[in-house]
Short mmCIF file of all heavy atoms in Angstrom, two decimals:
data_model
loop_
_atom_site.label_atom_id
_atom_site.label_comp_id
_atom_site.label_asym_id
_atom_site.label_seq_id
_atom_site.Cartn_x
_atom_site.Cartn_y
_atom_site.Cartn_z
N HIS B 37 77.01 93.26 -183.63
CA HIS B 37 76.66 91.83 -183.72
C HIS B 37 75.93 91.31 -182.51
O HIS B 37 76.39 91.51 -181.41
CB HIS B 37 77.98 91.02 -183.81
CG HIS B 37 78.70 91.08 -185.13
ND1 HIS B 37 78.16 90.46 -186.26
CD2 HIS B 37 79.90 91.61 -185.49
CE1 HIS B 37 79.01 90.65 -187.31
NE2 HIS B 37 80.06 91.38 -186.84
N GLU B 78 72.92 93.79 -185.94
CA GLU B 78 73.09 92.78 -186.99
C GLU B 78 72.84 91.45 -186.29
O GLU B 78 73.58 90.92 -185.47
CB GLU B 78 74.53 92.76 -187.52
CG GLU B 78 74.70 91.69 -188.64
CD GLU B 78 76.02 91.69 -189.31
OE1 GLU B 78 76.99 92.36 -188.95
OE2 GLU B 78 76.15 91.01 -190.36
N SER B 97 71.59 88.27 -190.64
CA SER B 97 72.80 87.67 -191.30
C SER B 97 73.03 86.23 -190.77
O SER B 97 72.82 85.93 -189.70
CB SER B 97 73.98 88.46 -190.94
OG SER B 97 73.98 89.79 -191.40
N HIS B 99 76.15 83.80 -190.28
CA HIS B 99 77.64 83.81 -190.23
C HIS B 99 78.15 82.38 -190.08
O HIS B 99 79.27 82.11 -190.56
CB HIS B 99 78.11 84.67 -189.04
CG HIS B 99 77.83 86.11 -189.22
ND1 HIS B 99 76.88 86.70 -188.46
CD2 HIS B 99 78.36 87.05 -189.99
CE1 HIS B 99 76.79 88.02 -188.82
NE2 HIS B 99 77.74 88.23 -189.74
N HIS B 155 74.90 90.86 -196.24
CA HIS B 155 75.80 90.10 -197.10
C HIS B 155 75.21 88.80 -197.53
O HIS B 155 75.70 87.69 -197.06
CB HIS B 155 77.21 89.90 -196.44
CG HIS B 155 77.20 89.60 -194.94
ND1 HIS B 155 76.66 88.42 -194.49
CD2 HIS B 155 77.66 90.19 -193.88
CE1 HIS B 155 76.80 88.32 -193.19
NE2 HIS B 155 77.38 89.46 -192.81
N ASP B 237 79.65 97.84 -194.03
CA ASP B 237 79.96 96.84 -193.03
C ASP B 237 81.23 97.32 -192.27
O ASP B 237 82.21 96.54 -192.10
CB ASP B 237 80.17 95.47 -193.66
CG ASP B 237 79.91 94.33 -192.69
OD1 ASP B 237 79.93 94.61 -191.46
OD2 ASP B 237 79.69 93.19 -193.13
ZN1 ZN W 1 77.98 90.09 -190.86
#
Side-chain angles (χ1 to χ4, degrees):
H37 284 291
E78 182 176 8
S97 297
H99 296 103
H155 42 64
D237 205 341

